[in-house]
Amino acid sequence: MFAVLKTGGKQYKVQSGDVLRVEKLAADAGETIQFNDVLMLGGDSTVLGAPTVAGAAVQAAVIDQIKGEKLIHFVKRRRKHGSKRTKGHRQKLTLVRITDILASGADATGVKAAVGAGSVSTAADTAPDAKPAKKAEAAPAAAAAGADDLKQLSGVGPALEKKLHEAGVTTFAQIAAWNADDIAAMDEKLSFKGRIEREGWVEQAQAKLAE
């Protein structure tokens, strides 16, 4: 029996015993976790999800928290800036071993759900009722009251500023302190597709703080 699961924006075809490297999860080595986004089950019969298979899950044991191979980023700014920069990045990953594939009854297992380490929705997903979730939704709006005008950054308009606020980014100081891992995580979370480095937000934020 095999399953197709989704985690970290990627899909994996797995069988019991497989070892996977997935986007970093909020779990410690030795823990058992459960992937609840199962898109397909296969074997004697095939079950397709719409989009996920109700009641299905894939359980796995966390082996270790690791880093991927080093990637070299070469950034060339616009002609008016005339600058170039080369730097490396190693993606944070979680190594897991698939232990079981459940065709049904996933809701009753009590196993910890697999969530990304940088997931904004972690608190809402684990809340016992809807009330804390409402507080979590109100937090970005409250934080935005004393926020910097992020629209001063190149390429940031009202819609993009709203996305940043929802992700908890409200000040130039936060952006100025980003390192390569932070930039990669924000690119993945908000689908910026390299915009942060391309527009030079970190350097712009640092310049704003120096004014």
Side-chain angles (χ1 to χ4, degrees), residues 29 37 59 71 96 101 115 123 143 172-173 178 189 195 198 209:
D37 291 336
Q59 294 184 355
L71 302 177
V96 300
I101 297 176
V115 294
F172 293 133
W178 282 348
K189 185 185 298 181
R195 174 176 289 185
R198 189 167 60 249
L209 293 176

Side-chain angles (χ1 to χ4, degrees), residues 125-139:
D125 291 341
T126 57
D129 51 47
K131 193 171 182 180
K134 291 181 180 178
K135 290 182 180 179
E137 292 171 0

Side-chain angles (χ1 to χ4, degrees), residues 120-155:
V120 178
S121 61
T122 301
D125 291 341
T126 57
D129 51 47
K131 193 171 182 180
K134 291 181 180 178
K135 290 182 180 179
E137 292 171 0
D148 293 326
D149 182 8
L150 301 183
K151 295 190 296 297
Q152 295 181 39
L153 298 176
S154 175

